[in-house]
Structures are given as C-alpha cells and as structure tokens.
Amino acid sequence: MMKPHFALMANYNTVMNQKVCDSIESLSEDALWQDNKAFFGSILGTLNHLMVGDLIWLRRFGAHSNYRAGFKALESLAGFPSPTTLTQFLYLNMHDFTKNRQILDWVIIQFINETVESDYSQTLTYTNTQGKIFNKPFAMLLQHLFNHQTHHRGQLTTLLNQIGVDIGETDLLMLIPDADS
C-alpha cells in the first residue's frame, strides 16, 4: 500500500513549507534576494525553483491521468503560471509566494487523496524541459517530487541558519505516528 506513504509525504511537504514561509515573513526583501551562492542564488530564488519543479511535475501527472477519469485537483493548476525553465521566477515577493505556496500544497494533498493504488503501478510518459521523452514508473516520479522538495528545503534551512533564522524541527520522523497509536 503506497497511498499512506504519499499522503504522509504530502502532509510533510505542507507542514515544512508553512514552517519555511512563517520563518521568512519578517525578513527584508534584501535578505530574501541576497545571492548566497546557492544553486538558485537566494532564498526566494530557491523557493521559486521549488514551486517551478512542483508545477512542472504536477502538470505531467495531470497528463498521466488520461488512462482513467483523471485528477480533478490538478485542474486548479490552470490558475498558476506555466514555467518554461527551472530558474524562472514565478513570484517576486514573499507575500505572493506564500499565498500561492499554500494553495499549491492544498492541491498536492487533494491530488494524493484522489490517487488509487493502481495509479502507482502505471508508467508515465513525459517530455522533460530539454525535449527528451521518458517512460518511468509513476510511483517513483511521485517519490522524486517529494524528494526534490526535501532536498531544496534542506538548502533553504542552511541559508536561513546562516542569517540566524531557525525554522525548528525538520525531520519527517515528527509526523510518523507511533505503531501503538
């Protein structure tokens, strides 16, 4: 059963993104945009990259639903920008980013709620940003979506720590219930 795993990951994603957004709300625009020599330069550059990656993958997952009724939650992606590069800036200030991050995290949770076990064993055919075609297991691509988020949030916590901002506990372990529960 993979659905409980992906539901946990979607919840973890939401909790951690909110912690990051709460932690940066008092930072100045200069602090958000300061080039810290990270993969995507600044705090806001890294946050934008996370959202770009999420939008690209979620749109691919929406195309995956062609073999059955589809994922209704992904229809709400129409209100989001359609990124064309991994370094694209979608939101230029913290307020707009946070508002849209919260909406997108809700979409991800609803999307995972709509999936069924048989979805995970399907193959997803997609074209990457360089035009190459791939066929990969849908479950592994979902795992990649969540791993990508965790990877770059780790970079964000380092960038924030360097300027004296501690977002608190970040381990997935905090959301895993005890087996006795």
Side-chain angles (χ1 to χ4, degrees), residues 12-71:
Y12 175 66
N13 174 62
T14 298
V15 168
M16 291 309 304
N17 283 336
Q18 190 59 54
K19 287 179 82 159
V20 168
C21 289
D22 290 346
S23 296
I24 66 171
E25 70 183 8
S26 63
L27 295 178
S28 69
E29 288 292 312
D30 288 342
L32 291 172
W33 285 108
Q34 180 180 345
D35 185 355
N36 295 300
K37 309 297 182 227
F39 288 151
F40 298 95
S42 65
I43 292 167
L44 207 48
T46 303
L47 288 169
N48 270 285
H49 170 72
L50 271 168
M51 189 167 304
V52 163
D54 288 352
L55 289 169
I56 288 171
W57 279 109
L58 290 169
R59 285 194 169 100
R60 289 173 182 163
F61 297 155
H64 172 63
S65 66
N66 291 337
Y67 76 93
R68 67 177 186 88
F71 302 114

Side-chain angles (χ1 to χ4, degrees), residues 84-127:
T84 56
T85 68
L86 297 175
T87 57
Q88 186 171 339
F89 292 109
L90 304 175
Y91 302 103
L92 300 178
N93 64 64
M94 200 277 306
H95 173 74
D96 290 343
F97 173 83
T98 297
K99 178 181 72 167
N100 287 287
R101 179 75 260 179
Q102 291 167 337
I103 294 167
L104 189 58
D105 288 342
W106 178 88
V107 169
I108 291 170
I109 286 174
Q110 297 309 310
F111 160 59
I112 294 300
N113 287 341
E114 289 179 38
T115 62
V116 295
E117 288 297 323
S118 61
D119 291 329
Y120 307 130
S121 63
Q122 300 297 315
T123 298
L124 173 67
T125 300
Y126 67 94
T127 304

Side-chain angles (χ1 to χ4, degrees), residues 124-141:
L124 173 67
T125 300
Y126 67 94
T127 304
N128 74 3
T129 57
Q130 288 82 39
K132 295 180 183 174
I133 298 173
F134 294 90
N135 298 295
K136 297 195 183 249
F138 182 53
M140 296 295 109
L141 295 174

